[in-house]
Amino acid sequence: MIKDLWYKNAVIYSVHVGTYMDSNADGIGDFEGLARRLDYLHGLGVTCIWLGPFQKSPRRDDGYDISDFYQVDPCFGTLGDFVEFTNQAEQRGIRVMIDLVVNHTSDQHPWFQEARRDPASKFRDFYVWSDKKPENADEGMVFPGVQKTTWTRDPVAGKYYFHRFYDFQPDLNTENPLVLAEIRKIMGFWLELGVCGFRMDAMPFVISTKGPQPRHRLRYDMLRSFREFLQWRRGDAIILAEANVEPKNNLHYFGEDGDRLQMMFNFWVNQRVFYALATADIKPLVKALEQTRDRPDNAQWAHFLRNHDELDLGRLTEEQRQAVFDDMGPDKDMQLYNRGIRRRLGPMLRGDWRRLEMAYSLLFTLPGSPVIRYGDELGMGDDLTLPERNCARTPMQWSTEPLAGFTRSSKPVLPVIEQGPYGFHKINAADQRRDASSLLNWTERIIRMRKEVPEIGWGDFKVLDTGNDGVLALRYDWRNNAVVTIHNLRNESTEIQIRLADEKGRQLVNLLTQDHSQAHGRGVHTIVMEPYGYHWYRVGGLGYLLERSNE
Ligand code: NOJ
Ligand code: CA
């Protein structure tokens, strides 16, 4: 039974267990530590936790290289600790979604070990082989600059194997029905242990045909079979896909009739949000919102600002990308894979809290469900001395205690940020909790407000004309209720006019301050927007609702 389309209005919090909270002083965050922090997350108001990979792994790609899909890596605890954690989350009404990394395995996975050793093994065909190095082997790398090829020779097999990502991540052959059966089994296993669904890693690559031939097809039909399996096992479980694709393909992923994936990250909008933040030009963002408007009623976008990877700007024009680089990642060292920025949100917005609040407020009012990243609720920074994406994966800063209260060991799994404006003496949860005007308390308030405005998740949006390319105004309508949200991306105040044609649109009740607005003329509101200002209004307000019910 589908109880509710809970994901239409979820507030998702992304966390890696290893860098959140260490309970046993070995320097590595663990499930016991994470479970102890559930009250913090409950207080913040998030409704779903997305857990990065925690299964057994050599951890050469932060766990996205799994060597046993059915084990918790011992450094994080046991399966028992995991179930305690999901149970305690459930007690607080928080769902737990986990990464499902089945495009590839670690090269240490017994399947791969077996496959390379024994040509007769059923596991040989779990992977993708070629006798010769294919002609296009040096194309299509996901990590250009670090990764040299997508085909590497395995001396044991005497053949080349395909790896879309690093060479220690051989791709699974998802055309093999035995592999698909394993994927279902893995999903079924974790569902039994209490998860509400999966963030499916590298989705377009999972469904692609693979092999030395130059042309490949996408097997979209696979998506429906994943969904069916999931829903047979647990009606309200979902798949949230990592699929950085062009808008014309969105419906292939969601399914025209909403019979494929429930959720996808909206990378298309994400890149244009950053362009808008960098240049205060909302035009490409507005276009992107229109281009990604189409989706089945039961499907939802996941919107985000930063995640655990680099900010991928690969789908902007050269000029647009350069504009974002210039503003937010000018040094080569801040950039990655020729396409992105590897920093955290705080430093990208130069630690300007007005801008951070505005950026977050914008995120929370985009048509979909918001996904936030641990530490961003504090404005945490990055450590650019760490390689690749690790710079934005440093441990959570809990307090001013040694090593930010993350661990009592002197050897944290990744360095804790100590120096400078983002060091834990300056930025930590304990201090911000006591300060009513902190980003942490602000985030808590905006999450509460987002939950009170279900129109954003359920409704239809309209972009309102403000006559100003630096100000985005959206209106959402759902079940006779409406809200209007306005964001000023410029660092200067401005006066805008918006027109709401309907009668109830004469009154706009501000949900965040006392500053309401009354229309003049034919439904025109004149509104002053502060530098980086953001306003959320309920159309008609409570008064209007009361009047209607007296009729
Ligand atoms: C996408 C993940 O987000 C990234 O962190 C990882 O390196 C690749 N997929 C490979 O699994
Ligand atoms: Ca530990």
Side-chain angles (χ1 to χ4, degrees):
M1 187 186 68
I2 301 178
K3 290 196 210 93
D4 178 19
L5 304 187
W6 59 271
Y7 53 92
K8 293 287 276 189
N9 265 314
V11 180
I12 303 174
Y13 186 89
S14 118
V15 63
H16 269 56
V17 59
T19 45
Y20 207 59
M21 182 66 206
D22 174 22
S23 73
N24 62 352
D26 66 355
I28 307 175
D30 41 54
F31 278 109
E32 232 184 286
L34 183 55
R36 285 189 207 161
R37 288 297 184 248
L38 279 168
D39 290 321
Y40 168 83
L41 294 171
H42 186 230
L44 190 58
V46 303
T47 63
C48 178
I49 294 171
W50 153 32
L51 263 187
F54 53 82
Q55 291 87 349
K56 209 157 172 241
S57 158
R59 313 200 68 68
R60 294 177 67 192
D61 181 16
D62 210 14
Y64 285 93
D65 49 332
I66 293 176
S67 57
D68 185 345
F69 288 104
Y70 301 106
Q71 288 298 328
V72 168
D73 197 293
C75 67
F76 303 137
T78 63
L79 273 177
D81 296 330
F82 178 81
V83 172
E84 276 309 294
F85 161 70
T86 51
N87 179 263
Q88 290 186 35
E90 194 185 341
Q91 301 303 317
R92 291 166 178 82
I94 300 177
R95 291 184 159 86
V96 177
M97 176 187 301
I98 66 172
D99 249 286
L100 181 64
V101 189
V102 290
N103 176 65
H104 45 266
T105 66
S106 159
D107 58 358
Q108 300 307 306
H109 197 292
W111 296 343
F112 188 70
Q113 291 301 326
E114 211 34 52
R116 64 202 293 220
R117 222 177 10 243
D118 180 1
S121 148
K122 73 166 184 179
F123 295 113
R124 176 66 78 125
D125 202 27
F126 269 42
Y127 296 88
V128 185
W129 303 96
S130 172
D131 291 334
K132 295 198 309 276
K133 187 163 184 167
E135 265 170 31
N136 55 1
D138 299 334
E139 292 166 15
M141 280 85 74
V142 175
F143 305 125
V146 184
Q147 183 190 354
K148 300 277 176 280
T149 178
T150 54
W151 288 88
T152 294
R153 186 169 184 280
D154 176 47
V156 180
K159 285 173 182 284
Y160 289 81
Y161 64 92
F162 176 65
H163 53 91
R164 176 60 72 181
F165 298 93
Y166 299 109
D167 59 4
F168 53 81
Q169 291 164 316
D171 266 50
L172 283 166
N173 172 12
T174 43
E175 280 189 276
N176 180 343
L178 295 179
V179 169
L180 292 177
E182 289 290 346
I183 294 177
R184 287 193 294 271
K185 205 195 283 182
I186 295 164
M187 292 203 275
F189 178 79
W190 293 103
L191 284 176
E192 289 298 317
L193 298 191
V195 311
C196 70
F198 302 93
R199 178 259 186 199
M200 232 169 137
D201 190 58
M203 192 53 119
F205 302 130
V206 172
I207 62 173
S208 174
T209 60
K210 310 179 191 194
Q213 71 278 22
R215 296 180 73 82
H216 290 281
R217 274 183 315 118
L218 290 175
R219 300 259 328 261
Y220 291 112
D221 52 321
M222 230 183 248
L223 302 174
R224 185 182 164 135
S225 68
F226 290 149
R227 185 206 182 106
E228 274 177 359
F229 175 80
L230 211 64
Q231 300 214 319
W232 287 333
R233 291 285 171 98
R234 180 171 165 172
D236 61 349
I238 66 156
I239 294 177
L240 161 55
E242 185 210 17
N244 181 352
V245 297
E246 288 182 43
K248 62 173 192 276
N249 295 321
N250 291 339
L251 283 183
H252 293 312
Y253 285 87
F254 284 135
E256 301 269 347
D257 306 323
D259 57 349
R260 294 178 183 167
L261 304 174
Q262 291 89 345
M263 286 188 102
M264 287 212 279
F265 285 105
N266 196 327
F267 283 91
W268 194 256
V269 162
N270 171 261
Q271 308 192 16
R272 283 139 189 103
V273 166
F274 276 93
Y275 178 77
L277 291 172
T279 62
D281 172 7
I282 62 161
K283 289 192 296 302
L285 172 59
V286 168
K287 189 166 172 208
L289 289 170
E290 295 295 353
Q291 286 171 305
T292 57
R293 173 190 290 281
D294 249 15
R295 56 179 146 87
D297 284 346
N298 59 351
Q300 186 60 304
W301 286 116
H303 287 291
F304 61 104
L305 292 173
R306 289 291 287 109
N307 60 20
H308 62 295
D309 291 326
E310 82 287 2
L311 166 70
D312 186 342
L313 301 168
R315 294 194 185 276
L316 295 181
T317 65
E318 186 78 49
E319 214 176 300
Q320 290 171 334
R321 184 164 45 250
Q322 196 54 47
V324 185
F325 280 156
D326 289 348
D327 186 57
M328 299 182 184
D331 301 350
K332 271 274 162 267
D333 188 33
M334 299 167 174
Q335 302 168 10
L336 197 60
Y337 311 136
N338 311 325
R339 61 164 181 244
I341 300 180
R342 63 189 192 118
R343 308 173 81 192
R344 272 252 192 196
L345 189 66
M348 287 174 75
L349 300 182
R350 299 194 198 88
D352 182 338
W353 284 27
R354 293 168 314 154
R355 212 173 164 202
L356 273 168
E357 285 183 8
M358 185 274 290
Y360 258 114
S361 169
L362 177 62
L363 167 69
F364 275 87
T365 56
L366 291 175
S369 292
V371 183
I372 60 179
R373 166 118 173 102
Y374 84 87
D376 281 356
E377 74 272 31
L378 309 175
M380 264 174 61
D382 45 47
D383 178 349
L384 293 173
T385 65
L386 298 175
E388 289 181 69
R389 294 160 288 160
N390 276 1
C391 63
R393 296 172 174 177
T394 60
M396 179 71 173
Q397 295 173 195
W398 291 108
S399 69
T400 53
E401 290 164 275
L403 296 167
F406 159 68
T407 179
R408 279 172 284 114
S409 143
S410 57
K411 288 203 182 71
V413 54
L414 280 174
V416 174
I417 297 181
E418 185 158 4
Q419 305 301 325
Y422 299 96
F424 66 82
H425 295 288
K426 300 228 167 60
I427 292 193
N428 65 74
D431 285 354
Q432 290 201 19
R433 188 182 256 143
R434 295 186 192 104
D435 174 0
S437 64
S438 68
L439 191 59
L440 174 62
N441 281 317
W442 179 88
T443 308
E444 187 183 320
R445 289 194 295 274
I446 211 76
I447 290 178
R448 184 191 313 141
M449 191 51 70
R450 174 63 181 74
K451 288 176 170 168
E452 290 178 17
V453 186
E455 289 92 335
I456 298 175
W458 282 107
D460 295 322
F461 74 92
K462 200 161 120 200
V463 181
L464 303 178
D465 184 12
T466 65
N468 184 330
D469 285 343
V471 180
L472 179 68
L474 296 173
R475 174 184 173 135
Y476 288 92
D477 280 274
W478 182 60
R479 291 194 177 161
N480 273 331
N481 283 309
V483 288
V484 168
T485 63
I486 313 179
H487 290 81
N488 178 13
L489 285 97
R490 292 214 170 94
N491 189 12
E492 49 191 58
S493 60
T494 182
E495 190 180 272
I496 57 140
Q497 297 203 321
I498 53 170
R499 189 161 169 264
L500 302 179
D502 49 332
E503 183 51 32
K504 82 177 188 183
R506 296 199 68 80
Q507 204 198 349
L508 290 178
V509 175
N510 196 319
L511 294 173
L512 303 169
T513 71
Q514 297 292 350
D515 202 3
H516 311 305
S517 174
Q518 192 66 44
H520 53 85
R522 287 171 54 220
V524 176
H525 292 263
T526 300
I527 294 173
V528 175
M529 299 298 297
E530 313 74 31
Y532 297 134
Y534 52 91
H535 298 189
W536 296 28
Y537 295 105
R538 190 162 281 290
V539 177
L542 277 181
Y544 174 79
L545 290 178
L546 291 176
E547 270 167 42
R548 297 286 295 182
S549 59
N550 289 339
E551 273 172 14

